[in-house]
Amino acid sequence: MYRNVIKNKHVLYYLAGAGISQLGNVLAGLAFLFIAYDLTQSAGLTTVIAISQAVPYLLFGLIGGAVADRVQKKRLLLWIDLIRVPIILSLVVLYQLESLAFWHLFAVGFVIQSLGCFYNPAYRAVLPLVTPVDDRTAVNSLLDTVTRGVQVLTPIFSIGLLSAGQTIHFYSIDALTYLLSALFILKIHWVEPLSEENASEEKKKGIFQSIVAFFLWVKEEGTIKNLFMVTFLMVFFNTWVWQVGLLLLLLQYYPSQGEEFYSLLLGWYGIGVILINVIIPFFWKKLTFTLYLAGSVVWGMGIVILGFATNLPLYFLGVLIAAAGLPISSLSRVYLIQTLVPAQKLGRAFSFNAVLLYGSNVISLMLFGALASLIEISTIFIFCGSMMVVCAAFYLIRIKLTEKARRKPVEAFK
């Protein structure tokens, strides 16, 4: 399964670029939080820095996808990588001059993430252009394995710089990753999906017209429309319980060891997700919406078990089940977007997917964060996990009924 992928040098360059970019992203994300707190000693202002890196996707996410569909992707990716180098290095220079202030972090974080709104959909749209359809499941699996592996391991490798008091040089490494990413992009060859005639027609529409045209297209595409709707619901019910609720739940039962157990469970979760990612291509070459929903059911069952857990083995079991369902669901979603969305619309599709994720994240954190002071955290887990299962099961039943209704006229005709 992976043999053909390894032989494709363009895919290998793509995966290397994604891995090196993820390394820089993780290090820079840690640096923004650590240095913001060092400068301000304020949890509130540190939170503002975190928010400043999420807001750009809500403001520019759709625009970035529309732009990615209208321009030459290689040129766009190279320019953004090169532009980000001096921007991120400006923080290192200001720090060395002892002039670094909080607003510098805020401005640079906002600008870097805003550029990412244009970079990320363009980069994701390149993968189908360098990968045959039969290899996409394996490539998506490797891509998720690489990015998640880097995300899990990078904090461990960063301990050396942290202990030496050189957190600022996380930004120096980030700048280097931009240069290496640009080098890998130069080595990848692909054919742009738009012909000159179609490109000029797209440009005549205007950015916002092309976004509206994409929404109108999605409205008529049943599978893609349902995929986006279910994605919003799954992420909405998962975000708070996973990012915040799990830690609070553990602290309730293990006040002195909750943080250690939380870190241990995250590591266990990362291992589980990576293993499932690697295994998936051996079972399914083509991923379907039904498989996406089945993965969501398993994912939700893991959250429900965490709500009922009262001892550590049950927490490990719930996390393992969630780790089994999430990659099936997420890889199926990416595969369906790559397969069902025309190449000329892929940038907008991936940017809209990102906007959905960030939007549902924000709403989930705000709503369930407020409810946590009124309702038992375990109850929120059971409710959210159950809703994930119910929503996914509803669409599964709907698909089966639709297929049954379609078969009846065919049988009658025979």
Side-chain angles (χ1 to χ4, degrees):
M1 176 56 67
Y2 291 106
R3 190 175 301 170
N4 292 335
V5 174
I6 295 173
K7 292 179 181 179
N8 189 332
K9 63 179 182 180
H10 300 296
V11 170
L12 294 180
Y13 290 139
Y14 184 94
L15 295 173
I20 201 71
S21 294
Q22 182 70 351
L23 171 64
N25 292 339
V26 174
L27 286 175
L30 292 172
F32 276 113
L33 296 178
F34 294 158
I35 295 176
Y37 188 78
D38 288 342
L39 289 175
T40 65
Q41 297 297 308
S42 168
L45 290 176
T46 304
T47 303
V48 169
I49 287 293
I51 293 174
S52 73
Q53 297 182 65
V55 169
Y57 285 92
L58 301 179
L59 296 177
F60 309 120
L62 294 176
I63 297 174
V67 170
D69 284 334
R70 293 158 58 88
V71 301
Q72 289 187 354
K73 293 175 181 60
K74 178 170 284 193
R75 185 178 299 174
L76 177 67
L77 294 171
L78 289 173
W79 271 111
I80 292 178
D81 266 338
L82 295 176
I83 288 171
R84 289 192 289 195
V85 172
I87 293 175
I88 203 71
L89 284 179
S90 68
L91 295 176
V92 181
V93 173
L94 288 169
Y95 181 86
Q96 299 297 344
L97 295 174
E98 299 183 352
S99 300
L100 185 62
F102 174 81
W103 73 267
H104 293 134
L105 293 176
F106 182 90
V108 169
F110 186 87
V111 171
I112 290 292
Q113 294 302 319
S114 296
L115 290 171
C117 294
F118 298 84
Y119 186 95
N120 294 334
Y123 197 79
R124 293 304 297 262
V126 167
L127 190 146
L129 304 180
V130 298
T131 309
V133 174
D134 290 344
D135 293 339
R136 281 182 193 168
T137 300
V139 174
N140 286 328
S141 173
L142 285 175
L143 176 62
D144 202 57
T145 300
V146 168
T147 53
R148 288 184 187 276
V150 170
Q151 190 170 7
V152 170
L153 295 176
T154 297
I156 298 174
F157 291 122
S158 68
I159 293 174
L161 284 175
L162 288 172
S163 60
Q166 298 296 319
T167 310
I168 191 65
H169 288 301
F170 283 8
Y171 294 129
S172 303
I173 299 173
D174 190 28
L176 179 61
T177 64
Y178 290 141
L179 292 174
L180 291 174
S181 173
L183 180 62
F184 286 123
I185 289 169
L186 277 173
K187 290 180 172 293
I188 304 172
H189 174 72
W190 69 84
V191 178
E192 293 290 337
L194 285 176
S195 65
E196 291 296 324
E197 181 180 353
N198 290 333
S200 62
E201 289 179 1
E202 284 288 324
K203 291 178 182 178
K204 287 178 183 178
K205 286 182 180 178
I207 295 293
F208 292 101
Q209 285 180 313
S210 65
I211 294 174
V212 171
F214 175 74
F215 284 139
L216 293 175
W217 177 83
V218 169
K219 186 179 178 181
E220 302 299 322
E221 298 294 322
T223 301
I224 290 295
K225 180 174 66 175
N226 290 332
L227 177 68
F228 284 141
M229 291 175 63
V230 179
T231 295
F232 180 88
L233 293 171
M234 293 300 111
V235 174
F236 169 72
F237 287 118
N238 173 77
T239 296
W240 185 87
V241 295
W242 188 254
Q243 292 187 7
V244 180
L246 182 58
L247 176 60
L248 298 179
L249 200 59
L250 288 166
L251 288 171
Q252 280 187 353
Y253 287 100
Y254 308 98
S256 61
Q257 297 175 290
E259 294 180 351
E260 289 83 353
F261 288 153
Y262 179 71
S263 299
L264 189 62
L265 285 171
L266 288 185
W268 174 249
Y269 173 78
I271 293 171
V273 169
I274 289 172
L275 287 176
I276 296 298
N277 270 328
V278 173
I279 292 171
I280 285 174
F282 291 101
F283 289 90
W284 301 286
K285 181 179 288 188
K286 295 181 180 181
L287 307 180
T288 64
F289 187 45
T290 299
L291 189 61
Y292 169 83
L293 295 171
S296 298
V297 170
V298 175
W299 183 9
M301 289 172 61
I303 301 298
V304 172
I305 290 174
L306 290 173
F308 284 109
T310 55
N311 55 62
L312 207 54
L314 273 179
Y315 282 109
F316 274 92
L317 176 62
V319 168
L320 181 62
I321 292 174
L326 173 63
I328 295 173
S329 180
S330 61
L331 287 182
S332 296
R333 182 179 71 249
V334 172
Y335 178 87
L336 288 169
I337 292 173
Q338 292 172 343
T339 306
L340 301 180
V341 178
Q344 297 90 339
K345 294 180 173 66
L346 275 175
R348 281 166 286 179
F350 280 115
S351 66
F352 181 59
N353 182 64
V355 170
L356 275 181
L357 296 180
Y358 279 98
S360 57
N361 281 343
V362 171
I363 297 172
S364 177
L365 291 170
M366 292 175 61
L367 177 61
F368 292 112
L371 289 175
S373 60
L374 305 172
I375 304 173
E376 285 288 335
I377 296 173
S378 58
T379 302
I380 296 177
F381 266 81
I382 295 169
F383 171 76
C384 288
S386 299
M387 289 305 299
M388 291 173 70
V389 173
V390 168
C391 291
F394 169 79
Y395 277 92
L396 277 172
I397 294 171
R398 188 177 174 183
I399 289 173
K400 295 300 180 183
L401 291 176
T402 302
E403 290 177 352
K404 186 176 181 181
R406 287 176 179 172
R407 281 198 300 266
K408 282 185 178 179
V410 175
E411 292 172 357
F413 180 77
K414 289 180 179 180

